[in-house]
Amino acid sequence: MACTGNAMRAFFLLAFVCAAHAGKDAPAKDGDAKAASGPGGSFDISKLGASGDGKKDSTKAVQEAWTSACGGTGKQTILIPKGDYLVGPLNFTGPCKGDVTIQVDGNLLATTDLSQYKGNWIEILRVDNLVITGKGKLDGQGPAVWSKNSCAKKYDCKILPNSLVLDYVNNGEVSGITLLNAKFFHMNVFQCKGVTIKDVTVTAPGDSPNTDGIHIGDSSKVTITGTTIGVGDDCISIGPGSTGINVTGVTCGPGHGISVGSLGRYKDEKDVTDINVKDCTLKKTSNGVRIKSYEDAACVITASKLHYENIAMDDVANPIIIDMKYCPNKICTAKGDSKVTVKDVTFKNITGTSSTPEAVSLLCSDKIPCSGVTMDNIKVEYKGTNNKTMAVCQNAKGSATGCLKELACF
């Protein structure tokens, strides 16, 4: 599930919530952030009153650390030491006077009291030169509230809190951390430029609702590399307004694959272009590399210059799929008048096995066919025995070279 546009911007805002670590230091008094500061502007939340027992609310201490670090010049660090820190929604808003690093060595646990959330869990807004790093976890504690997700039944459902949202962040890096069991999306990147996500682990059960790994919308120059994602929805979803997105060395599964879209749900969506997905592995996912758009699209939008190369499929249900008749849970209207254009798409060196006979599905619109589709060395074979590997191609124009005979659509 992927959404962008004005209608959903409130959804992309989040409050940064952290979980507390057990510290032996006496709780600091209000306004004692300076006393907790070490050399170089370092703010240890355990010295600001945060408790690492996983039970006491440490929201105030974490928020105080942000206020002090963001207000300091030069290099500033917020330290989440080892332990379990329970926190409610946090709002980390800039601009900051200096460069802030959030060092996550412990585990931040999101409160499960939904009444505390006006938006999301960890919201980082209008901050430049941000680093979030460490070997700790951001645990959304989603299992306690997933039953309250009604999005499978209602088109305009109430959205549960995302875990980590970056809004209007320029020159940012997220590395090393684990995102665990988000209530909704694990990470949402909105209106950002120059963000790198590397060596991150994202984990939730395969049946957890709408737990996208990383969603990108209205952003440019975003890189995701060396990251392992297993969730209940798209491992990576690239929404409208995305350009210059590079995904390399990602392992996906379980999940719904690596998707562009969905496109066309909202009236003010912008084009998607220059998307590169390389050297990735998908294991037992319900889709592989996917482009999806609503048939009853609400806006005119183009997805172009999409390149997929060196992708290994392991028992994937729909390894290569363009679906221009996307209609989740049958909650949209199929009018057949798509306003979405998909063009200049390359699939190169896609190999492995499919769990369904349809290793390739190019389901394009009869009103606006897909064009400029290049298929080069596609060798994905059906893993079963009762049916043969096949391609299903509708309204797609392009060329195929070096592919299995059964997969040559053109």
Side-chain angles (χ1 to χ4, degrees):
M1 178 175 183
C3 320
T4 50
N6 287 332
M8 292 297 289
R9 280 178 187 168
F11 159 68
F12 291 124
L13 295 176
L14 78 119
F16 186 37
V17 180
C18 309
H21 167 72
K24 297 182 180 180
D25 303 78
K29 297 179 181 179
D30 291 348
D32 276 356
K34 291 183 179 179
S37 177
S42 178
F43 299 90
D44 183 336
I45 66 167
S46 68
K47 294 181 180 179
L48 294 170
S51 173
D53 61 3
K55 298 178 181 179
K56 179 183 176 182
D57 188 341
S58 297
T59 307
K60 185 177 180 181
V62 180
Q63 191 68 57
E64 184 178 349
W66 173 262
T67 300
S68 298
C70 187
T73 58
K75 301 289 185 180
Q76 300 288 327
T77 301
I78 297 171
L79 175 62
I80 314 296
K82 291 184 178 179
D84 295 321
Y85 298 90
L86 179 65
V87 288
L90 291 173
N91 188 324
F92 291 178
T93 299
C96 297
K97 292 182 178 179
D99 300 341
V100 178
T101 294
I102 303 174
Q103 181 68 39
V104 186
D105 294 333
N107 304 319
L108 306 176
L109 312 180
T111 179
T112 58
D113 181 2
L114 293 179
S115 67
Q116 293 190 28
Y117 297 95
K118 293 182 179 179
N120 303 288
W121 180 29
I122 302 171
E123 176 180 4
I124 302 179
L125 177 66
R126 302 189 187 282
V127 178
D128 295 341
N129 305 318
L130 172 75
V131 174
I132 303 173
T133 190
K135 298 298 182 182
K137 299 176 182 177
L138 305 183
D139 186 350
Q141 301 207 95
V145 300
W146 285 333
S147 63
K148 300 182 183 300
N149 184 324
S150 62
C151 292
K153 299 178 181 179
K154 297 176 63 178
Y155 192 78
D156 294 318
C157 57
K158 180 177 176 57
I159 303 299
L160 296 179
N162 295 319
S163 279
L164 176 61
V165 174
L166 307 182
D167 289 337
Y168 301 92
V169 171
N170 297 316
N171 189 28
E173 178 182 301
V174 181
S175 65
I177 65 171
T178 293
L179 292 155
L180 178 66
N181 289 338
K183 294 177 177 65
F184 209 71
F185 290 5
H186 285 81
M187 186 182 302
N188 192 77
V189 179
F190 176 68
Q191 285 279 11
C192 294
K193 183 178 181 180
V195 171
T196 297
I197 301 164
K198 65 178 182 179
D199 303 326
V200 168
T201 300
V202 185
T203 301
D207 60 354
S208 54
N210 303 117
T211 53
D212 289 44
I214 301 171
H215 175 69
I216 303 167
D218 289 310
S219 297
S220 63
K221 298 182 179 179
V222 176
T223 296
I224 304 172
T225 184
T227 289
T228 300
I229 305 173
V231 291
D233 210 295
D234 291 332
C235 289
I236 297 172
S237 53
I238 301 169
S242 300
T243 180
I245 310 300
N246 293 294
V247 178
T248 62
V250 168
T251 298
C252 167
H256 296 181
I258 298 175
S259 297
V260 170
S262 52
L263 306 176
R265 181 171 181 178
Y266 301 105
K267 293 181 179 179
D268 59 350
E269 293 180 1
K270 297 178 182 178
D271 293 346
V272 176
T273 188
D274 191 18
I275 310 300
N276 296 281
V277 180
K278 295 183 179 181
D279 304 322
C280 294
T281 299
L282 294 102
K283 299 180 179 180
K284 299 183 183 298
T285 53
S286 58
N287 298 286
V289 289
R290 174 169 62 158
I291 303 166
K292 53 180 176 174
S293 68
Y294 286 87
E295 187 169 11
D296 58 346
C299 61
V300 176
I301 183 174
T302 297
S304 64
K305 298 181 181 179
L306 314 179
H307 185 80
Y308 304 89
E309 183 174 355
N310 298 338
I311 312 295
M313 304 289 180
D314 181 1
D315 201 18
V316 173
N318 298 289
I320 297 174
I321 177 169
I322 299 177
D323 185 2
M324 297 186 70
K325 298 182 180 181
Y326 179 67
C327 185
N329 306 309
K330 299 181 180 180
I331 55 178
C332 52
T333 302
K335 299 178 180 178
D337 57 350
S338 176
K339 301 179 181 69
V340 180
T341 297
V342 175
K343 65 179 183 178
D344 302 332
V345 184
T346 300
F347 300 103
K348 183 177 181 180
N349 298 337
I350 315 293
T351 60
T353 58
S354 172
S355 64
T356 61
E358 296 84 3
V360 173
S361 298
L362 306 183
L363 309 177
C364 301
S365 169
D366 55 348
K367 302 292 185 180
I368 310 177
C370 301
S371 63
V373 179
T374 299
M375 304 185 69
D376 182 0
N377 192 36
I378 310 301
K379 296 180 179 178
V380 180
E381 297 188 79
Y382 173 50
K383 197 174 182 179
T385 57
N386 296 328
N387 294 286
K388 295 181 179 180
T389 305
M390 60 185 294
V392 178
C393 305
Q394 300 173 3
N395 307 309
K397 301 177 180 180
S399 62
T401 58
C403 302
L404 290 176
K405 182 178 179 181
E406 298 87 349
L407 304 182
C409 285
F410 314 109

